[in-house]
Amino acid sequence: MLSLTIDGKKVEAEAGWSLLDTARQHGIDIPTLCYHEAVEPFGACRLCVVELKQGNNSRLVASCVYPAEEGLEVFTSSEKVNSVRRWILEMLLSECPASREIREMAGQYGVNTTRFEVKDPEEQCILCGLCVRACAQVVGANAISTVGRGAQKEIGSPYLVPGEDCVACGTCVTVCPTGAMGARFERVRGVPSVIMARPGK
Amino acid sequence: MQVTAKNSADMRLGSLEELEKLRSELLAAEDPDQTKIIVCHGTGCVANDSPSVTKALKAALAAAGEDIKVMPGIKTTGCHGFCSRGPLVIIKPSNIFYQQVKPGDVEEIVQKTILTGETVDRLLYVHPQTGETLKTTEEIPFYSGQERVVLSNIGQIDPTDIEDAFKAGAYAGMAKALTNMEPGQVIEEVTKSGLRGRGGAGFPTGLKWSLAAKHQGGQKYVLCNADEGDPGAFMDRSVMEGDPHAVVEGMIIGGYAIGADTGYVYVRAEYPLAIKHLVKALDDARAHGLLGENILGSGFNFDIRINRGAGAFVCGEETALMRSVEGKVGEPVPRPPYPSDKGLFGKPSVLNNVETWANVSRILDKGADWFASLGTEKSKGTKVFALVGKVNNVGLVEVPMGISLRNIVMEIGGGVPGSDHFKAVQTGGPSGGCLPWEDADLPVDFDSLIAAGSMMGSGGMIVMDERDCMVDVAKYFLGFLEEESCGKCFPCRLGVPRLRETLNRFSKGQGTLEDIDDLYSLAEAIKAGSLCALGGTAPNAVLSTLRYFRGEYEAHILEHRCPAGVCKDLITYSIDPEVCTGCRACSRACPQGAITGEKKKPHTIEESLCIRCGMCMESCKFGAIQVI
């Protein structure tokens, strides 16, 4: 067992646990968006950042991917941590304002409005990539991926046409933290050959 | 002349002794009386049509034929660095330096310089400040102020001829390492040299290697990061084009040191000449038994593959680069695990950039003590910079670490056109920052640059003058990173565009001082919260310009004024009637037809039609057009 402190509390962790695993095991809450037990951690949403202090040095790490180490001093809601979370949530409010989950989470951090321009009031997708990873790692279908880069990035099937690799299992819809995949499902859903005969083939 | 046999089986060198024997034979076969005419075939000079100069030279020499006692050799080389003066022709051994040579100049060079030893004065370099005509490379400050280690062979050797590289000492360090040293000793030597990675962060190379070497046995990899993507930077391209063997040699040494049998060069597809020369270098090295099985009889097997990148800037980040080599989407992954434990294909891997690998070759050849004698206490050796922007001598320079910005820009770079100082120097590419003239005496090394709010980066150095707006510069770099962000982590994907939007408002004269406070807070959140160094350093352009040029930001916000005359929404063009001659150059240049006036009488600009493109200002020979 490894021993470390989280928010001043001494806790133990098994080798191989992440800081997030350790915190949750001890009932310490850390918010996450791109994390799900069913798939490999991704470290993308950065909501789960925590502050590591070593002497006078401190840095932020994503707790979902950072391993528990002996003697670490971890802070889950320091001012530095909360500032990053508030900024991410405020930016998400402008990026996907239709998401109730994001509005609620932002509210918990005192972020109720956004100073940034809302581009699409209907948007819910936060681009956490959970749908993509569940499709690859849980279903094994690899039917969808992120398409494009940076601000142009979106979730889609190859060439943005409904693909034959999709078995219409709905795992992506289930795993989606904001319900965005429900609205997109028809755009990626294929016609599973095992269930239905494909017309013309 | 060709000393080695044509048969590839016979070309294989079986030991260090055989390599050194071949080297001395090649050197002995050189004719000491032969003049050599070197024509630069680096990308810059090729773009200025240096191949036609070479062709014309061959024809002129053939025509002069019988008059010449010893027929000069023509050698085409990689980049000499002085790109703004190309095409370059250098006559060896006297080092007469001819610049901006056209095919039409060649006949005179042959008739005068080759036949009678006179110089063609109109092709010589003129010092921009003193007006003095300088004859040889040694006299030109651009060259004399440099300390060439990595670039030492570039411009001297034909990069497509391995024998020419042998003559310049290629593979000597590698042969020494494989024959006389244990892998651990090689790592010790590199550690002792104090070499730090030239790709950006300056991580100690020896330490990086030892972390990968501690994994006993099993598959390991070495990689070369040749995905040079900083705007205006071309150090690595020039090294690969001009001396690809230095990179190959360094990688073999690295592979031997950590116990890897395979190396990958990840080079961007936009560098076709670099790829061509690398491929040729690998083929020639294989033919000579310097790659493949049992290299120089040492029992060490190693080969190198080339991966072409499709041009994503983020693929220069080490974990993204490795994903790209694996055939996956080039996105960074969190560390730990570090690549030295789990890198390419999940195996221990060492990634260094082109310049680092080239330095490794030199260190093993000349020794750690020699290398450590160059540079400063914590930044050893030299650094290559691509010196661009508002500077007289645009090009590639290599200087010892710790030299001042002033020395690089004002001495080697020949100063700023029309000014006795620079306004700012941007170092470190999009991850770096802008340093002001007040920091001109700052020593250029890893730690000083970081303390000043910038970074060494891979070696881009953009010089700016009073006509460059710092808000606009910060906006440019953020726009670049917004385009190049992979979009995986939220702070970078969402935050960088928001920073740029705020700056956009400033450049329109909008915004408030509170926006600056928000900018600081968001910038800190992006720095601390991003997954990789691209996001982690993205706010540097804003933070460094705010730190040194806050007044300029405030002028935009409070006075709705762009002091540099760049931000289009805040400037107006006007014609000074006292100076205007009515020559009509500006009215012809204006795409809007906004300039009117009678011939030979002062003209005027109709402001409502003006789109502030600046074409009039460029076309005016009398300086009559002003920006307010």
Side-chain angles (χ1 to χ4, degrees):
Chain A
M1 290 298 251
L2 304 161
S3 111
L4 52 153
T5 65
I6 300 182
D7 297 336
K9 186 177 151 189
K10 268 207 170 326
V11 297
E12 293 200 318
E14 278 178 27
W17 282 6
S18 68
L19 292 178
L20 180 67
D21 295 334
T22 313
R24 290 195 170 169
Q25 198 70 30
H26 293 87
I28 299 163
D29 183 47
I30 295 176
T32 60
L33 281 170
C34 73
Y35 177 81
H36 195 285
E37 294 81 351
V39 292
E40 293 285 316
F42 198 46
C45 76
R46 316 306 280 181
L47 232 39
C48 74
V49 287
V50 294
E51 188 170 359
L52 294 188
K53 282 192 183 157
Q54 283 157 321
N56 288 330
N57 291 332
S58 101
R59 64 189 176 121
L60 298 192
V61 299
S63 62
C64 67
V65 286
Y66 200 90
E69 287 166 10
E70 181 67 33
L72 279 184
E73 250 190 286
V74 184
F75 296 86
T76 66
S77 55
S78 63
E79 179 43 38
K80 219 171 163 181
V81 166
N82 285 338
S83 171
V84 170
R85 288 186 189 149
R86 280 195 300 265
W87 276 112
I88 294 174
L89 288 165
E90 183 175 345
M91 293 190 289
L92 282 176
L93 278 185
S94 77
E95 200 76 5
C96 34
S99 165
R100 180 172 51 85
E101 291 78 3
I102 296 298
R103 286 200 304 273
E104 282 175 9
M105 197 182 252
Q108 286 168 20
Y109 282 86
V111 180
N112 296 307
T113 53
T114 179
R115 283 164 281 188
F116 304 114
E117 188 193 342
V118 172
K119 284 173 197 117
D120 180 0
E122 300 299 315
E123 187 56 86
Q124 288 181 291
C125 176
I126 58 170
L127 282 169
C128 66
L130 261 180
C131 49
V132 174
R133 285 176 288 142
C135 185
Q137 296 169 26
V138 178
V139 186
N142 286 302
I144 48 172
S145 70
T146 55
V147 180
R149 191 168 69 202
Q152 269 70 47
K153 201 166 197 165
E154 56 178 316
I155 303 292
S157 46
Y159 304 106
L160 299 175
V161 277
E164 292 184 2
D165 291 328
C166 174
V167 295
C169 66
T171 304
C172 53
V173 179
T174 314
V175 83
C176 178
T178 65
M181 201 60 205
R184 278 172 166 69
F185 192 47
E186 289 304 319
R187 301 216 308 254
V188 300
R189 186 173 73 158
V191 184
S193 53
V194 286
I195 307 172
M196 289 170 243
R198 262 172 285 162
K201 286 212 173 171
Chain B
M1 71 185 274
Q2 197 84 2
V3 174
T4 48
K6 290 269 186 291
N7 186 332
S8 72
D10 294 341
M11 288 202 321
R12 280 188 69 90
L13 301 164
S15 64
L16 180 138
E17 290 72 28
E18 282 181 40
L19 171 66
E20 294 311 328
K21 183 164 161 269
L22 171 63
R23 200 191 307 281
S24 30
E25 282 170 9
L26 288 166
L27 286 170
E30 292 257 276
D31 182 347
D33 296 330
Q34 192 194 31
T35 304
K36 285 214 174 60
I37 307 173
I38 289 182
V39 186
C40 180
H41 275 213
T43 292
C45 283
V46 168
N48 281 316
D49 204 16
S50 63
S52 293
V53 174
T54 311
K55 216 168 126 189
L57 256 178
K58 281 181 185 159
L61 286 175
E66 290 171 7
D67 301 337
I68 305 174
K69 268 182 260 158
V70 182
M71 186 52 99
I74 299 177
K75 194 192 287 194
T76 58
T77 68
C79 180
H80 287 254
F82 213 168
C83 305
S84 55
R85 299 285 161 173
L88 307 176
V89 172
I90 295 164
I91 317 288
K92 295 249 167 191
S94 53
N95 283 339
I96 296 171
F97 179 85
Y98 291 138
Q99 50 156 11
Q100 293 173 336
V101 180
K102 306 266 176 310
D105 300 324
V106 162
E107 184 61 35
E108 202 179 344
I109 295 177
V110 171
Q111 290 304 324
K112 274 190 161 175
T113 313
I114 304 299
L115 285 173
T116 64
E118 292 169 51
T119 51
V120 183
D121 290 349
R122 67 185 164 81
L123 297 175
L124 293 173
Y125 174 78
V126 179
H127 194 291
Q129 268 97 38
T130 64
E132 213 182 332
T133 303
L134 305 175
K135 201 171 146 188
T136 65
T137 47
E138 287 88 350
E139 293 171 22
I140 300 172
F142 178 79
Y143 288 109
S144 61
Q146 294 192 43
E147 172 97 40
R148 292 192 156 207
V149 172
V150 168
L151 303 181
S152 58
N153 290 345
I154 300 176
Q156 312 297 321
I157 64 164
D158 178 348
T160 60
D161 180 359
I162 194 171
E163 295 190 344
D164 208 30
F166 284 148
K167 282 187 263 183
Y171 297 100
M174 172 271 237
K176 201 198 286 178
L178 265 57
T179 313
N180 300 330
M181 295 165 88
E182 292 297 321
Q185 289 175 300
V186 175
I187 296 179
E188 246 170 64
E189 189 76 3
V190 173
T191 306
K192 206 168 87 180
S193 75
L195 176 65
R196 293 169 67 175
R198 294 322 197 223
F203 193 82
T205 307
L207 175 60
K208 194 186 244 188
W209 291 15
S210 65
L211 292 172
K214 74 177 195 301
H215 296 275
Q216 298 292 321
Q219 181 68 54
K220 295 179 202 174
Y221 297 103
V222 292
L223 298 101
C224 174
N225 187 347
D227 193 53
E228 182 176 53
D230 293 1
F234 53 100
M235 301 75 57
D236 295 346
R237 171 170 63 73
S238 296
V239 173
M240 289 183 286
E241 285 175 3
D243 190 7
H245 293 287
V247 182
V248 174
E249 181 183 355
M251 289 180 73
I252 303 170
I253 295 167
Y256 177 71
I258 71 153
D261 66 358
T262 306
Y264 286 90
V265 181
Y266 188 85
V267 53
R268 57 199 308 220
E270 293 95 322
Y271 283 178
L273 190 61
I275 295 171
K276 192 175 146 197
H277 287 184
L278 268 175
V279 169
K280 177 79 166 71
L282 293 179
D283 287 346
D284 289 346
R286 276 188 207 109
H288 285 82
L290 302 169
L291 281 174
E293 292 189 357
N294 193 16
I295 298 170
L296 293 181
S298 65
F300 174 62
N301 308 330
F302 187 78
D303 212 333
I304 295 175
R305 298 177 195 184
I306 294 178
N307 260 66
R308 282 179 300 165
F313 180 70
V314 72
C315 287
E317 197 277 343
E318 72 174 345
T319 59
L321 185 152
M322 289 177 189
R323 296 300 85 76
S324 181
V325 172
E326 289 169 0
K328 297 177 182 157
V329 178
E331 286 179 355
V333 294
R335 294 172 293 188
Y338 291 94
S340 51
D341 298 321
K342 268 182 141 183
L344 185 64
F345 301 113
K347 305 294 179 194
S349 307
V350 162
L351 174 90
N352 286 127
N353 97 323
V354 171
E355 195 182 329
T356 315
W357 286 124
N359 269 308
V360 166
S361 312
R362 306 284 187 264
I363 290 167
L364 267 291
D365 184 22
K366 296 187 171 177
D369 293 333
W370 159 80
F371 189 82
S373 72
L374 300 165
T376 69
E377 196 197 334
K378 287 187 173 162
S379 301
K380 300 294 186 193
T382 59
K383 180 77 195 80
V384 184
F385 290 100
L387 191 60
V388 297
K390 308 282 177 58
V391 58
N392 281 311
N393 301 339
V394 167
L396 207 61
V397 301
E398 181 172 2
V399 291
M401 294 270 194
I403 189 174
S404 69
L405 273 178
R406 184 197 301 274
N407 195 335
I408 298 178
V409 178
M410 306 309 284
E411 308 293 325
I412 298 171
V416 179
S419 178
D420 60 355
H421 68 285
F422 55 78
K423 177 177 176 180
V425 171
Q426 208 280 350
T427 71
S431 301
C434 294
L435 303 168
W437 174 246
E438 289 70 47
D439 274 349
D441 292 313
L442 186 84
V444 176
D445 61 58
F446 288 110
D447 309 300
S448 307
L449 287 178
I450 287 179
S454 184
M455 65 185 282
M456 179 77 81
S458 60
M461 195 173 264
I462 305 170
V463 183
M464 301 175 199
D465 68 5
E466 300 300 336
R467 302 272 300 143
D468 290 303
C469 166
M470 291 298 121
V471 178
D472 191 64
V473 166
K475 210 171 77 176
Y476 166 77
F477 281 107
L478 284 171
F480 177 87
L481 289 169
E482 181 180 342
E483 188 103 324
E484 296 296 342
S485 164
C486 79
K488 177 173 175 175
C489 83
F490 290 22
C492 176
R493 186 187 84 230
L494 301 169
V496 173
R498 298 304 178 283
L499 290 179
R500 189 192 45 75
E501 282 163 18
T502 308
L503 294 190
N504 259 354
R505 288 211 305 279
F506 292 171
S507 66
K508 290 188 175 122
Q510 301 161 356
T512 62
L513 290 182
E514 286 81 68
D515 287 339
I516 293 188
D517 297 334
D518 284 348
L519 213 52
Y520 272 114
S521 172
L522 176 55
E524 283 308 322
I526 296 171
K527 274 181 95 147
S530 291
L531 195 164
C532 81
L534 189 151
T537 56
N540 280 357
V542 189
L543 293 175
S544 71
T545 47
L546 266 174
R547 175 169 166 182
Y548 296 115
F549 302 96
R550 192 181 167 108
E552 204 168 331
Y553 277 82
E554 289 176 356
H556 284 75
I557 298 169
L558 300 176
E559 301 163 34
H560 314 298
R561 187 170 66 82
C562 175
V566 173
C567 296
K568 286 196 165 63
D569 293 306
L570 304 180
I571 54 170
T572 48
Y573 283 88
S574 63
I575 297 173
D576 184 347
E578 304 285 312
V579 185
C580 178
T581 62
C583 73
R584 294 212 155 148
C586 59
S587 64
R588 279 194 297 270
C590 179
Q592 289 294 95
I595 303 177
T596 50
E598 279 177 52
K599 197 171 181 184
K600 295 193 177 164
K601 292 206 172 135
H603 282 39
T604 51
I605 301 176
E606 173 52 46
E607 214 193 306
S608 63
L609 293 174
C610 176
I611 55 167
R612 298 164 185 91
C613 66
M615 299 278 281
C616 52
M617 200 167 183
E618 267 172 46
S619 69
C620 181
K621 291 194 189 83
F622 307 99
I625 298 178
Q626 309 154 320
V627 181
I628 307 163

